[in-house]
Amino acid sequence: MDKSLLYKIALTLIPNVGPILARNLIGYCGGVEEVFRAKPARLKKIPGIGEKTANEIHRADVMGKAEQEMEFIEKHKIQPLFYLDENYPARLKDCHDSPILLYYKGTADLNAPRVVGIVGTRSATDYGKSVTEKIVEALVQSDALVVSGLAYGIDVCAHKAALDNGLKTVGVLGHGLHTIYPSVHRSIAKKMAEQGGLLTEFTSDSKFEKTNFPARNRIIAGLADALIVVETRKKGGAIITAEIANSYNKEVFAVPGNIGNTFSEGCNFLIRTNKAILLDDLDEFMFAMGWKQENGKPAARQAELFAELEPDEKILVDMLREQKMRIDEISARMNRPSGIIANSLLSLELKGIVKTLPGKVYELC
């Protein structure tokens, strides 16, 4: 038995200890095993740890449940991914609240060069399904890994389209790998395990709860270079995923829809509030991500071919000559509101001087 893995699993089972607090424990104690060896008096001195949590760490049933989980993952050939492991998804490592331990069954490389998350309503319209299929077809040229949540509607449509087009696709689950929800997606989940994968942070004895899904959504957002929202209500789960993706500085795109259509309200809201880039041209999406170059040639560097630039634009160009930068970094250095900076950057993009990279990073063309 891998005793190191046993302690890693046990750490995730301690009540009231989430990913952030777990990292804190590991950092203060010097390792996962050391967390369980530390005396309660020492643990209580760690920020965020109270007497109740300190005592929970030493409860025997935590280790017992961890042993049962070890048996489950060995029996079903599931790959555990600890956040300090080399094969843990690198994009997730940059997210402050990412899971410290993931369970993975599949063949896809979670560190693929290009990863796109596609999410949307469970009540997808024919239009939404058609758009999803076209988006996935366009991704074939970039050989992107397609990530979604294996839910009804847009999610499963994205997975099916990826399988049909020979792309690998990963489903992030809001429950353990002991089951598939919804059950009607078991057959597609089986195909995905062979042409992609299934990923979760939940153990096999986890109860199926709706509260698991926001946690699931953050993994989808964290895994992707870009998140595409196809259809959603204004308060749908896809909106939560988009909000999380924005907090991670990921690129977020939304497909516009008809005014008055319930399942277009969310996308239109994201676009109107500048929380997502309008997606109505798939070639433009590929250019925006830096995944396609016109006529197969690198875009001409135009930063030296200025006509007349506004004062803020000149400052931005000088800053971007030094290095690539995120909008929040630019805003802080210029001491200007991010909204004003965004307008200047958009103007420079339209002039062909600046381009956007994944993660809302800007550089000169």
Side-chain angles (χ1 to χ4, degrees):
M1 179 179 288
D2 184 345
K3 202 166 185 180
S4 173
L5 177 57
L6 183 68
Y7 282 113
K8 292 171 183 175
I9 296 172
L11 183 59
T12 68
L13 298 173
I14 301 171
N16 303 314
V17 175
I20 297 175
L21 194 51
R23 286 177 174 81
N24 212 16
L25 280 166
I26 295 170
Y28 273 88
C29 295
V32 181
E33 292 186 35
E34 285 72 13
V35 172
F36 291 92
R37 291 176 182 155
K39 295 181 179 180
R42 181 188 176 192
L43 292 171
K44 284 187 288 185
K45 295 179 182 180
I46 298 174
I49 302 295
E51 183 174 355
K52 182 179 180 180
T53 302
N55 292 330
E56 289 280 5
I57 292 173
H58 293 277
R59 287 177 59 183
D61 61 343
V62 172
M63 298 303 297
K65 290 179 181 178
E67 289 178 356
Q68 292 176 10
E69 194 62 24
M70 285 276 289
E71 293 174 2
F72 178 83
I73 64 177
E74 288 173 2
K75 178 180 178 180
H76 296 280
K77 295 182 172 59
I78 294 166
Q79 182 181 6
L81 303 170
F82 188 60
Y83 82 104
L84 294 176
D85 295 343
E86 288 186 9
N87 56 353
Y88 185 92
R91 294 171 179 85
L92 275 178
K93 285 186 178 181
D94 294 331
C95 305
H96 72 285
D97 60 347
S98 59
I100 65 166
L101 186 64
L102 291 164
Y103 301 96
Y104 181 53
K105 188 175 182 64
T107 60
D109 179 7
L110 298 177
N111 288 307
R114 297 167 180 175
V115 184
V116 177
I118 301 176
V119 296
T121 179
R122 287 173 167 78
S123 305
T125 66
D126 289 340
Y127 167 75
K129 293 175 183 177
S130 175
V131 169
T132 301
E133 290 168 355
K134 289 177 180 176
I135 289 171
V136 174
E137 287 173 11
L139 292 175
V140 171
Q141 61 182 293
S142 65
D143 195 30
L145 172 66
V146 175
V147 177
S148 195
L150 198 57
Y152 288 113
I154 298 299
D155 287 23
V156 73
C157 181
H159 291 309
K160 287 179 178 178
L163 293 174
D164 291 343
N165 285 279
L167 289 175
K168 292 192 175 181
T169 182
V170 170
V172 183
L173 310 179
H175 49 74
L177 289 169
H178 62 297
T179 188
I180 292 296
Y181 176 85
S183 59
V184 293
H185 292 166
R186 285 177 182 166
S187 60
I188 190 171
K190 184 177 180 180
K191 294 178 183 177
M192 289 168 63
E194 299 169 355
Q195 189 180 314
L198 303 171
L199 183 70
T200 185
E201 67 178 309
F202 297 100
T203 55
S204 61
D205 63 347
S206 298
K207 294 181 180 179
F208 178 79
E209 297 178 356
K210 289 184 178 180
T211 53
N212 291 351
F213 290 100
R216 180 274 307 272
N217 293 348
R218 87 188 194 286
I219 299 177
I220 296 174
L223 278 174
D225 295 310
L227 180 76
I228 298 175
V229 184
V230 178
E231 285 185 318
T232 181
R233 297 174 184 269
K234 197 171 179 179
K235 294 186 178 180
I239 293 291
I240 296 175
T241 311
E243 295 280 5
I244 295 171
N246 272 304
S247 74
Y248 291 162
N249 287 316
K250 303 286 185 173
E251 291 290 358
V252 180
F253 296 81
V255 176
N258 293 333
I259 296 173
N261 186 320
T262 300
F263 300 112
S264 295
E265 288 179 352
C267 289
N268 292 342
F269 168 77
L270 289 172
I271 295 167
R272 185 173 66 252
T273 55
N274 295 318
K275 293 181 178 179
I277 301 168
L278 184 149
L279 178 59
D280 63 350
D281 186 309
L282 296 174
D283 281 338
E284 287 297 322
F285 168 78
M286 303 300 284
F287 279 118
M289 295 303 297
W291 295 349
K292 182 176 181 180
Q293 295 172 330
E294 193 171 7
N295 299 323
K297 299 179 181 179
R301 206 175 168 81
Q302 298 186 25
E304 305 298 333
L305 306 178
F306 306 145
E308 293 185 5
L309 298 181
E310 296 297 325
D312 278 357
E313 294 175 353
K314 291 180 180 178
I315 295 172
L316 280 168
V317 169
D318 287 339
M319 291 173 61
L320 293 174
R321 274 200 182 106
E322 300 173 8
Q323 61 182 14
K324 303 174 186 176
M325 297 184 72
R326 295 197 304 271
I327 191 168
D328 55 339
E329 295 173 324
I330 297 171
S331 178
R333 283 186 57 177
M334 290 182 64
N335 194 26
R336 302 294 300 276
S338 58
I340 292 176
I341 300 298
N343 287 335
S344 296
L345 287 167
L346 177 59
S347 175
L348 290 170
E349 283 193 81
L350 293 174
K351 293 174 182 176
I353 296 171
V354 167
K355 66 179 179 180
T356 313
L357 302 176
K360 293 189 177 179
V361 175
Y362 293 84
E363 72 171 4
L364 296 182
C365 293

